[in-house]
Amino acid sequence: MRIINIINNELITNKQKLENDLERCLNDVDTPTQEQVDKAIELISKISNIDTSIASWEKYINFEKKEN
């Protein structure tokens, strides 16, 4: 089931990219504080959405395995 692996990898890769962006945002001393805060909150929200997607995807995969 290559498609399952592709989806898993895509979700994980997207999360890692956002985490990297968050780290860069937090370490950016040239950006005003409020901009940093706003950007960090936006990135955290996106990471949270991916975490939820990963959890839903894992539940779906496990449900499909039990059905077969």
Side-chain angles (χ1 to χ4, degrees):
M1 291 262 176
R2 282 186 75 161
I3 190 70
I4 290 173
N5 291 334
I6 292 169
I7 293 169
N8 285 337
N9 290 339
E10 191 71 22
L11 288 168
I12 291 167
T13 301
N14 287 342
K15 182 179 177 185
Q16 290 174 334
K17 288 177 188 176
L18 288 168
E19 288 171 340
N20 185 58
D21 289 344
L22 177 59
E23 186 175 333
R24 291 174 69 199
C25 172
L26 296 174
N27 292 322
D28 185 3
V29 295
D30 296 327
T31 303
T33 302
Q34 191 58 49
E35 279 184 45
Q36 260 184 308
V37 170
D38 293 343
K39 183 67 175 175
I41 290 171
E42 177 186 333
L43 290 166
I44 291 166
S45 177
K46 290 179 180 180
I47 291 168
S48 178
N49 286 338
I50 290 180
D51 282 338
T52 302
S53 296
I54 290 170
S56 297
W57 178 241
E58 288 173 350
K59 286 179 186 176
Y60 176 77
I61 291 170
N62 290 332
F63 179 77
E64 286 295 312
K65 286 180 183 176
K66 289 178 184 177
E67 290 288 310
N68 293 329

Coordinates of all heavy atoms in Angstrom, one line a residue:
M1 N 0.8 -1.2 0.0 CA 0.0 0.0 0.0 C 0.9 1.3 0.0 O 1.0 1.9 1.0 CB -0.9 0.0 1.2 CG -2.0 -1.0 1.2 SD -3.4 -0.1 0.6 CE -4.6 -1.3 0.5
R2 N 1.4 1.6 -1.1 CA 2.3 2.7 -1.3 C 1.6 4.0 -1.0 O 2.2 5.0 -0.4 CB 2.9 2.8 -2.7 CG 4.0 1.8 -2.9 CD 4.6 2.0 -4.2 NE 5.4 3.3 -4.1 CZ 6.4 3.5 -5.0 NH1 6.6 2.7 -6.0 NH2 7.1 4.6 -4.9
I3 N 0.3 4.1 -1.3 CA -0.4 5.4 -1.1 C -0.5 5.7 0.4 O -0.4 6.9 0.8 CB -1.8 5.4 -1.7 CG1 -2.4 6.8 -1.7 CG2 -2.7 4.4 -1.0 CD1 -1.8 7.7 -2.6
I4 N -0.6 4.7 1.2 CA -0.6 5.0 2.7 C 0.7 5.5 3.2 O 0.7 6.5 3.9 CB -1.0 3.7 3.4 CG1 -2.4 3.3 3.2 CG2 -0.7 3.8 4.9 CD1 -2.9 2.0 3.7
N5 N 1.8 5.0 2.7 CA 3.1 5.5 3.0 C 3.3 6.9 2.5 O 3.9 7.8 3.2 CB 4.2 4.6 2.5 CG 4.3 3.3 3.2 OD1 3.8 3.2 4.3 ND2 4.7 2.2 2.5
I6 N 2.8 7.2 1.3 CA 3.0 8.5 0.7 C 2.2 9.5 1.6 O 2.7 10.6 1.9 CB 2.5 8.5 -0.7 CG1 3.4 7.7 -1.6 CG2 2.3 10.0 -1.3 CD1 2.9 7.5 -3.0
I7 N 1.0 9.2 2.0 CA 0.2 10.1 2.8 C 0.9 10.3 4.1 O 1.0 11.5 4.6 CB -1.2 9.6 2.9 CG1 -2.0 9.7 1.6 CG2 -2.0 10.4 4.0 CD1 -3.3 8.9 1.5
N8 N 1.3 9.2 4.8 CA 2.0 9.4 6.1 C 3.2 10.3 5.9 O 3.4 11.2 6.7 CB 2.5 8.0 6.6 CG 1.4 7.1 7.1 OD1 0.4 7.6 7.5 ND2 1.6 5.9 7.1
N9 N 4.1 10.1 4.9 CA 5.3 10.9 4.7 C 4.9 12.3 4.4 O 5.6 13.2 4.9 CB 6.1 10.3 3.5 CG 6.7 9.0 3.9 OD1 6.9 8.6 5.1 ND2 7.1 8.2 2.9
E10 N 3.9 12.6 3.7 CA 3.5 13.9 3.4 C 3.1 14.7 4.6 O 3.5 15.8 4.8 CB 2.4 13.9 2.3 CG 2.0 15.3 1.7 CD 3.1 15.8 0.8 OE1 3.9 15.0 0.3 OE2 3.2 17.0 0.6
L11 N 2.3 14.0 5.4 CA 1.8 14.7 6.7 C 3.0 15.0 7.6 O 3.2 16.1 8.1 CB 0.8 13.8 7.4 CG -0.6 13.7 6.8 CD1 -1.4 12.6 7.4 CD2 -1.3 15.0 6.9
I12 N 3.9 14.0 7.7 CA 5.1 14.2 8.6 C 6.0 15.3 8.1 O 6.5 16.1 8.8 CB 5.8 12.8 8.8 CG1 5.0 11.9 9.6 CG2 7.2 13.0 9.4 CD1 5.5 10.4 9.6
T13 N 6.2 15.3 6.8 CA 7.1 16.3 6.1 C 6.5 17.7 6.3 O 7.2 18.6 6.7 CB 7.3 16.0 4.6 OG1 7.9 14.7 4.5 CG2 8.2 17.0 4.0
N14 N 5.2 17.8 6.1 CA 4.6 19.1 6.3 C 4.7 19.6 7.7 O 5.0 20.8 8.0 CB 3.1 19.1 5.9 CG 2.9 19.0 4.4 OD1 3.9 19.3 3.6 ND2 1.8 18.6 3.9
K15 N 4.6 18.7 8.7 CA 4.7 19.1 10.1 C 6.1 19.5 10.4 O 6.3 20.5 11.0 CB 4.3 17.9 11.0 CG 4.4 18.2 12.4 CD 4.0 17.1 13.3 CE 4.2 17.4 14.8 NZ 3.9 16.3 15.7
Q16 N 7.1 18.8 9.9 CA 8.5 19.1 10.1 C 8.8 20.5 9.5 O 9.6 21.3 10.1 CB 9.4 18.1 9.5 CG 9.4 16.8 10.3 CD 10.2 15.7 9.7 OE1 10.4 15.6 8.5 NE2 10.6 14.7 10.6
K17 N 8.3 20.8 8.3 CA 8.5 22.1 7.7 C 8.0 23.2 8.6 O 8.6 24.3 8.8 CB 7.9 22.1 6.3 CG 8.6 21.3 5.3 CD 7.9 21.4 4.0 CE 8.4 20.4 2.9 NZ 7.6 20.5 1.7
L18 N 6.8 23.0 9.1 CA 6.1 24.0 9.9 C 6.9 24.2 11.2 O 7.1 25.3 11.7 CB 4.7 23.7 10.2 CG 3.7 23.8 9.0 CD1 2.4 23.2 9.3 CD2 3.6 25.3 8.6
E19 N 7.4 23.1 11.8 CA 8.2 23.2 13.0 C 9.5 24.0 12.8 O 9.9 24.7 13.6 CB 8.5 21.8 13.6 CG 7.2 21.1 14.2 CD 7.4 19.7 14.5 OE1 8.4 19.0 14.0 OE2 6.6 19.2 15.3
N20 N 10.1 23.7 11.6 CA 11.3 24.5 11.3 C 11.0 26.0 11.1 O 11.7 26.8 11.6 CB 11.9 23.9 10.0 CG 13.2 24.6 9.6 OD1 14.1 24.5 10.4 ND2 13.3 25.2 8.5
D21 N 9.9 26.3 10.4 CA 9.4 27.7 10.3 C 9.2 28.3 11.7 O 9.6 29.5 11.9 CB 8.2 27.8 9.4 CG 8.4 27.5 8.0 OD1 9.6 27.5 7.6 OD2 7.4 27.3 7.3
L22 N 8.6 27.6 12.6 CA 8.3 28.1 13.9 C 9.7 28.4 14.6 O 9.8 29.4 15.3 CB 7.5 27.1 14.7 CG 7.2 27.5 16.2 CD1 6.5 28.8 16.3 CD2 6.4 26.3 16.8
E23 N 10.6 27.5 14.5 CA 11.9 27.7 15.2 C 12.6 28.9 14.6 O 13.1 29.7 15.4 CB 12.8 26.4 15.0 CG 14.1 26.5 15.7 CD 14.9 25.2 15.6 OE1 14.3 24.1 15.4 OE2 16.1 25.3 15.7
R24 N 12.5 29.1 13.3 CA 13.1 30.2 12.7 C 12.4 31.5 13.1 O 13.1 32.5 13.4 CB 13.1 30.1 11.2 CG 14.1 29.0 10.7 CD 13.9 28.8 9.2 NE 14.4 29.9 8.5 CZ 14.1 30.2 7.2 NH1 13.3 29.4 6.5 NH2 14.6 31.3 6.6
C25 N 11.1 31.5 13.2 CA 10.4 32.6 13.7 C 10.8 33.0 15.1 O 11.0 34.2 15.4 CB 8.9 32.3 13.6 SG 7.8 33.5 14.4
L26 N 10.9 32.0 16.0 CA 11.2 32.3 17.4 C 12.6 32.9 17.5 O 12.9 33.6 18.5 CB 11.0 31.1 18.2 CG 9.6 30.5 18.3 CD1 9.5 29.2 19.0 CD2 8.7 31.6 19.0
N27 N 13.5 32.5 16.6 CA 14.9 33.0 16.7 C 15.2 34.2 15.9 O 16.3 34.7 15.9 CB 15.8 31.9 16.2 CG 15.8 30.7 17.2 OD1 15.8 30.9 18.4 ND2 15.9 29.5 16.6
D28 N 14.2 34.8 15.3 CA 14.4 36.0 14.4 C 14.3 37.2 15.3 O 13.3 37.7 15.7 CB 13.3 36.1 13.4 CG 13.4 37.2 12.4 OD1 14.5 37.9 12.5 OD2 12.6 37.4 11.5
V29 N 15.5 37.8 15.6 CA 15.6 39.0 16.5 C 15.3 40.3 15.8 O 15.1 41.3 16.4 CB 17.0 39.0 17.2 CG1 17.2 37.8 18.1 CG2 18.1 39.1 16.1
D30 N 15.2 40.2 14.4 CA 15.0 41.4 13.7 C 13.5 41.8 13.5 O 13.2 42.9 13.0 CB 15.7 41.3 12.3 CG 17.2 41.2 12.4 OD1 17.7 41.8 13.3 OD2 17.8 40.6 11.6
T31 N 12.7 40.8 13.8 CA 11.2 41.0 13.6 C 10.6 41.6 14.9 O 10.9 41.1 16.0 CB 10.5 39.7 13.3 OG1 11.2 39.1 12.1 CG2 9.1 39.8 13.0
P32 N 9.7 42.5 14.8 CA 9.0 43.1 16.0 C 8.3 41.9 16.8 O 7.8 41.0 16.2 CB 8.0 44.1 15.4 CG 8.6 44.5 14.1 CD 9.3 43.2 13.6
T33 N 8.2 42.1 18.1 CA 7.7 41.1 18.9 C 6.3 40.7 18.5 O 6.0 39.5 18.5 CB 7.7 41.6 20.4 OG1 9.0 41.9 20.8 CG2 7.1 40.6 21.3
Q34 N 5.4 41.7 18.3 CA 4.0 41.3 17.9 C 3.9 40.5 16.7 O 3.1 39.6 16.6 CB 3.1 42.6 17.8 CG 1.7 42.2 17.8 CD 1.2 41.4 19.0 OE1 1.4 41.8 20.1 NE2 0.4 40.4 18.7
E35 N 4.8 40.8 15.7 CA 4.8 40.1 14.4 C 5.2 38.6 14.7 O 4.7 37.7 14.2 CB 5.7 40.7 13.4 CG 5.1 41.8 12.7 CD 6.1 42.4 11.6 OE1 6.7 41.5 10.9 OE2 6.2 43.6 11.5
Q36 N 6.3 38.5 15.6 CA 6.8 37.2 16.0 C 5.6 36.4 16.6 O 5.5 35.2 16.3 CB 7.9 37.3 16.9 CG 9.3 37.1 16.3 CD 10.4 37.2 17.4 OE1 10.4 38.1 18.2 NE2 11.2 36.2 17.3
V37 N 5.0 37.0 17.6 CA 3.9 36.3 18.3 C 2.8 35.9 17.3 O 2.3 34.7 17.4 CB 3.3 37.2 19.4 CG1 2.0 36.6 20.0 CG2 4.4 37.5 20.5
D38 N 2.4 36.8 16.5 CA 1.3 36.5 15.5 C 1.7 35.3 14.6 O 0.9 34.4 14.4 CB 0.9 37.7 14.7 CG 0.3 38.8 15.5 OD1 -0.2 38.5 16.6 OD2 0.2 39.9 15.0
K39 N 2.9 35.4 14.1 CA 3.4 34.3 13.2 C 3.5 33.0 13.9 O 3.1 32.0 13.4 CB 4.7 34.8 12.6 CG 5.3 33.8 11.6 CD 4.4 33.7 10.3 CE 5.1 32.8 9.3 NZ 4.3 32.6 8.1
A40 N 4.0 33.0 15.2 CA 4.2 31.8 15.9 C 2.8 31.2 16.2 O 2.7 30.0 16.1 CB 4.9 32.1 17.3
I41 N 1.9 32.0 16.6 CA 0.5 31.4 16.8 C -0.1 30.8 15.6 O -0.7 29.8 15.6 CB -0.4 32.5 17.4 CG1 0.1 32.8 18.9 CG2 -1.9 32.1 17.4 CD1 -0.6 34.0 19.5
E42 N 0.1 31.5 14.5 CA -0.4 31.0 13.2 C 0.3 29.6 12.9 O -0.4 28.6 12.5 CB -0.1 32.0 12.1 CG -0.4 31.5 10.7 CD 0.0 32.5 9.6 OE1 0.2 33.7 9.9 OE2 0.3 32.0 8.5
L43 N 1.6 29.5 13.1 CA 2.3 28.3 12.8 C 1.9 27.2 13.8 O 1.7 26.0 13.4 CB 3.8 28.5 12.9 CG 4.4 29.3 11.7 CD1 5.8 29.8 12.0 CD2 4.4 28.6 10.4
I44 N 1.7 27.5 15.0 CA 1.3 26.5 16.0 C -0.1 26.0 15.6 O -0.4 24.8 15.8 CB 1.3 27.1 17.4 CG1 2.7 27.4 17.9 CG2 0.5 26.2 18.4 CD1 2.8 28.3 19.1
S45 N -1.0 26.8 15.2 CA -2.3 26.4 14.7 C -2.2 25.4 13.6 O -2.9 24.4 13.5 CB -3.1 27.6 14.3 OG -4.4 27.2 13.8
K46 N -1.3 25.7 12.6 CA -1.1 24.8 11.5 C -0.6 23.5 11.9 O -1.0 22.4 11.4 CB -0.2 25.5 10.4 CG -0.9 26.6 9.7 CD 0.0 27.3 8.7 CE -0.6 28.4 8.0 NZ 0.3 29.0 7.0
I47 N 0.4 23.5 12.8 CA 1.0 22.3 13.4 C -0.1 21.5 14.1 O -0.2 20.2 13.9 CB 2.2 22.6 14.3 CG1 3.3 23.2 13.5 CG2 2.6 21.3 15.1 CD1 4.5 23.8 14.3
S48 N -0.9 22.1 14.8 CA -2.0 21.5 15.5 C -3.0 20.8 14.6 O -3.4 19.7 14.8 CB -2.8 22.5 16.4 OG -3.8 21.8 17.1
N49 N -3.3 21.5 13.5 CA -4.2 20.9 12.4 C -3.5 19.6 11.8 O -4.2 18.6 11.6 CB -4.4 21.9 11.3 CG -5.4 23.0 11.8 OD1 -6.2 22.8 12.7 ND2 -5.4 24.1 11.1
I50 N -2.3 19.7 11.6 CA -1.6 18.5 11.0 C -1.6 17.4 12.1 O -1.8 16.2 11.7 CB -0.2 18.8 10.5 CG1 -0.3 19.7 9.3 CG2 0.6 17.5 10.2 CD1 1.0 20.1 8.7
D51 N -1.3 17.7 13.4 CA -1.4 16.7 14.4 C -2.7 16.0 14.4 O -2.8 14.8 14.5 CB -1.1 17.3 15.8 CG 0.4 17.5 16.0 OD1 1.2 16.9 15.3 OD2 0.7 18.4 16.9
T52 N -3.8 16.8 14.3 CA -5.1 16.2 14.3 C -5.3 15.4 13.0 O -5.9 14.3 13.1 CB -6.2 17.4 14.3 OG1 -6.0 18.2 15.5 CG2 -7.6 16.8 14.3
S53 N -4.8 15.8 11.9 CA -4.9 15.0 10.7 C -4.2 13.7 10.8 O -4.7 12.7 10.4 CB -4.4 15.8 9.5 OG -5.1 17.0 9.3
I54 N -3.0 13.7 11.4 CA -2.3 12.5 11.6 C -3.0 11.5 12.5 O -3.1 10.3 12.2 CB -0.8 12.8 12.2 CG1 0.0 13.5 11.1 CG2 -0.2 11.6 12.7 CD1 1.3 14.1 11.6
A55 N -3.6 12.0 13.6 CA -4.3 11.2 14.5 C -5.5 10.6 13.8 O -5.8 9.4 13.9 CB -4.8 12.0 15.7
S56 N -6.3 11.4 13.0 CA -7.4 10.9 12.3 C -7.0 9.8 11.2 O -7.7 8.8 11.1 CB -8.1 12.0 11.6 OG -8.7 12.9 12.5
W57 N -5.9 10.1 10.6 CA -5.4 9.2 9.5 C -5.0 7.9 10.2 O -5.3 6.8 9.6 CB -4.2 9.9 8.8 CG -3.6 9.0 7.8 CD1 -2.3 8.6 7.8 CD2 -4.2 8.5 6.6 NE1 -2.0 7.8 6.7 CE2 -3.2 7.7 5.9 CE3 -5.4 8.5 6.0 CZ2 -3.4 7.1 4.7 CZ3 -5.7 7.9 4.8 CH2 -4.7 7.1 4.2
E58 N -4.3 7.9 11.3 CA -3.9 6.7 12.0 C -5.2 5.9 12.4 O -5.2 4.6 12.3 CB -3.0 7.0 13.2 CG -1.7 7.4 12.7 CD -0.8 7.9 13.9 OE1 -1.3 8.1 15.0 OE2 0.4 8.1 13.6
K59 N -6.2 6.6 12.9 CA -7.4 5.9 13.3 C -8.1 5.2 12.1 O -8.5 4.1 12.2 CB -8.4 6.8 14.0 CG -8.1 7.3 15.4 CD -9.1 8.2 15.9 CE -8.7 8.8 17.2 NZ -9.6 9.8 17.8
Y60 N -8.1 5.9 11.0 CA -8.7 5.4 9.8 C -7.9 4.1 9.3 O -8.5 3.1 9.0 CB -8.7 6.4 8.7 CG -9.2 5.9 7.4 CD1 -10.6 5.7 7.1 CD2 -8.3 5.6 6.3 CE1 -11.0 5.2 5.9 CE2 -8.8 5.1 5.1 CZ -10.1 4.9 4.9 OH -10.6 4.4 3.8
I61 N -6.6 4.2 9.3 CA -5.8 3.1 8.9 C -6.0 1.9 9.8 O -6.2 0.8 9.3 CB -4.3 3.5 8.9 CG1 -4.0 4.5 7.8 CG2 -3.4 2.2 8.7 CD1 -2.6 5.1 7.9
N62 N -6.0 2.1 11.1 CA -6.3 1.0 12.0 C -7.7 0.4 11.9 O -7.9 -0.8 12.0 CB -6.1 1.5 13.5 CG -4.6 1.8 13.8 OD1 -3.7 1.2 13.2 ND2 -4.4 2.7 14.7
F63 N -8.7 1.3 11.6 CA -10.0 0.8 11.4 C -10.1 -0.1 10.1 O -10.7 -1.2 10.1 CB -11.0 2.0 11.2 CG -12.4 1.5 11.0 CD1 -13.2 1.0 12.0 CD2 -13.0 1.6 9.7 CE1 -14.5 0.6 11.7 CE2 -14.3 1.2 9.4 CZ -15.0 0.7 10.5
E64 N -9.4 0.3 9.1 CA -9.4 -0.4 7.8 C -8.7 -1.8 8.0 O -9.1 -2.8 7.5 CB -8.7 0.4 6.7 CG -9.5 1.5 6.2 CD -10.7 1.0 5.5 OE1 -10.7 0.1 4.6 OE2 -11.8 1.6 5.8
K65 N -7.6 -1.8 8.8 CA -6.9 -3.1 9.1 C -7.8 -4.0 9.8 O -7.8 -5.2 9.5 CB -5.6 -2.8 9.9 CG -4.5 -2.2 9.1 CD -3.3 -1.9 10.0 CE -2.2 -1.2 9.2 NZ -1.0 -0.9 10.0
K66 N -8.6 -3.5 10.8 CA -9.5 -4.4 11.5 C -10.6 -4.9 10.7 O -11.1 -6.0 10.9 CB -10.1 -3.6 12.7 CG -9.1 -3.3 13.8 CD -9.7 -2.5 14.9 CE -8.6 -2.2 16.0 NZ -9.2 -1.3 17.0
E67 N -11.1 -4.1 9.7 CA -12.1 -4.5 8.8 C -11.7 -5.7 7.9 O -12.5 -6.5 7.4 CB -12.6 -3.4 8.0 CG -13.4 -2.3 8.8 CD -14.7 -2.8 9.2 OE1 -15.5 -3.3 8.4 OE2 -15.0 -2.7 10.4
N68 N -10.4 -5.7 7.5 CA -9.9 -6.7 6.6 C -9.4 -7.9 7.3 O -9.5 -8.6 7.8 CB -8.7 -6.1 5.7 CG -9.2 -5.0 4.8 OD1 -10.4 -5.0 4.4 ND2 -8.4 -4.0 4.6

